[in-house]
Amino acid sequence: MTADDIAALFTQGDDFLCARWGRPVAPVVFGLDDASLAIFRDALKAVVAHARHPLADTDPETGANLMIFAVADWDDLRAVTDLDRLTGIADLPGRLAAQSADRYRLLRFDADGAIRACMTFLRLGGALGQAHPAALAEDAGVNAMLSFARHVTPSPDLARLIRVAYDPALPSCARDPSHALRLAARLAAP
């Protein structure tokens, strides 16, 4: 991956934002049967471990800070208590249905710009319903680890980028596109 490739992953419009988690990830998954849930948990643990980032059972402020909601249809989200308050978005199910979306990710950041929470919503009644739970979990985990500007598909290059971005020598949040040069240099190092 070149610095330009990396910068494109974190640029939306004219804004560059590359942020990683600033606290241990405490995941919870809603809407899956027990067999799928076990697969999801194992895959999420593997993604977080690959980044060499800590995983926790609970977050002291929120209980869970990586929340994944798996639903058959977006209208099923209407049963989630206080969804509007949780997301800060009025009628999220209606908006997602209007966009014919299959997935949606919402990030929250702390005062320093590091990721403090991620909510991922998956509609399994469409194209995602055919995906294996491990592939869905890996996809959700990879997309939750950094502030990608748009959905990314897991790949060996992305896995290496995530690992490099969690280098303790790098800031947990960068808003200058030159940060892509630092990431590219670390990727090129033996």
Side-chain angles (χ1 to χ4, degrees):
M1 297 181 92
T2 67
D4 288 343
D5 296 333
I6 295 167
L9 291 171
F10 300 102
T11 303
Q12 190 164 24
D14 292 332
D15 297 327
F16 177 90
L17 173 64
C18 179
R20 66 180 188 221
W21 285 85
R23 61 184 66 201
V25 176
V28 64
V29 182
F30 301 99
L32 296 177
D33 60 36
D34 289 344
S36 298
L37 185 58
I39 293 168
F40 243 78
R41 285 186 179 146
D42 289 345
L44 289 172
K45 285 178 186 176
V47 170
V48 175
H50 176 75
R52 296 187 200 134
H53 191 71
L55 193 71
D57 290 330
T58 59
D59 178 76
E61 290 179 27
T62 59
N65 56 24
L66 171 55
M67 293 168 271
I68 299 174
F69 297 84
V71 295
D73 192 68
W74 291 129
D75 275 343
D76 296 345
L77 286 175
R78 296 188 190 285
V80 177
T81 306
D82 293 329
L83 181 65
D84 290 359
R85 229 177 70 203
L86 179 67
T87 62
I89 301 171
D91 190 25
L92 180 62
R95 290 176 185 222
L96 294 174
Q99 297 170 11
S100 299
D102 284 324
R103 66 189 77 191
Y104 180 71
R105 180 197 66 172
L106 178 65
L107 296 174
R108 297 279 188 239
F109 302 93
D110 64 21
D112 295 329
I115 298 171
R116 74 173 170 85
C118 176
M119 287 170 265
T120 298
F121 302 90
L122 304 171
R123 184 175 67 89
L124 303 181
L128 297 182
Q130 303 304 313
H132 190 279
L136 282 174
E138 180 186 27
D139 185 89
V142 164
N143 279 277
M145 291 307 292
L146 295 172
S147 59
F148 295 110
R150 63 203 53 78
H151 181 264
V152 296
T153 301
S155 70
D157 283 345
L158 274 177
R160 288 179 53 237
L161 176 62
I162 290 169
R163 191 173 190 134
V164 163
Y166 276 82
D167 181 333
L170 294 175
S172 59
C173 176
R175 297 184 183 278
D176 189 314
S178 65
H179 186 67
L181 293 168
R182 297 170 79 185
L183 294 171
R186 281 174 166 73
L187 280 175

